[in-house]
Amino acid sequence: MSTPSPDVRPREIAVLSGIVLLEALALAVAGLRLVWTLLFEQPLTVGGTVFLVLVLLGGALWLLHVGRGLWRGFRWPRAAALVVQLFVLVLALPLLQGGQWALGLVLAVPAAVVLLLLFRPTVLAWTSRTVR
């Protein structure tokens, strides 16, 4: 089994970038849903909701940047993606333990896939290139 050239984008990168971008989309949708709550419904607290909107939309922008960095082959997004997936697992495990299997698996499975793919030799080769 030969190792592909580091000049050819591996399929694992497409999967990694896709999952990270879907996570960014999920954060953006959650943030926009809270904006809807601010505008048309009665939020529990306005200040807390505004803060949460900023956190969710900021996180979505950050994950968008991480996914783009992975796609382009930069080294730094590996660490960012790793940390985000660990946080997602920290959120998923109590859901699984509490019997909320659907939501827990929706969070845990993509995070586990990203964690496994981040350490594949083809991903490491692609994200360690010196020439862009």
Side-chain angles (χ1 to χ4, degrees):
M1 183 171 171
S2 65
T3 304
S5 167
D7 296 331
V8 177
R9 184 177 288 115
R11 288 183 305 231
E12 291 94 339
I13 289 295
V15 173
L16 278 171
S17 296
I19 291 173
V20 170
L21 293 176
L22 284 174
E23 290 171 340
L25 178 65
L27 285 179
V29 167
L32 292 175
R33 173 63 178 101
L34 285 175
V35 169
W36 178 270
T37 300
L38 277 172
L39 296 176
F40 301 109
E41 297 174 12
Q42 188 66 29
L44 198 56
T45 63
V46 173
T49 304
V50 169
F51 177 75
L52 193 53
V53 165
L54 293 175
V55 168
L56 290 172
L57 294 180
L61 288 174
W62 174 246
L63 280 178
L64 185 66
H65 193 57
V66 169
R68 183 173 179 255
L70 284 168
W71 182 258
R72 294 183 63 203
F74 292 115
R75 181 184 306 248
W76 66 267
R78 286 194 326 238
L82 176 81
V83 169
V84 168
Q85 303 316 311
L86 291 175
F87 278 125
V88 170
L89 284 177
V90 165
L91 293 173
L93 289 177
L95 290 170
L96 292 170
Q97 291 173 341
Q100 296 183 10
W101 289 93
L103 185 56
L105 289 174
V106 164
L107 291 173
V109 170
V113 169
V114 169
L115 288 173
L116 291 173
L117 291 179
L118 279 174
F119 297 101
R120 300 272 305 171
T122 54
V123 170
L124 293 173
W126 176 257
T127 57
S128 298
R129 298 178 305 145
T130 55
V131 178
R132 302 279 175 244

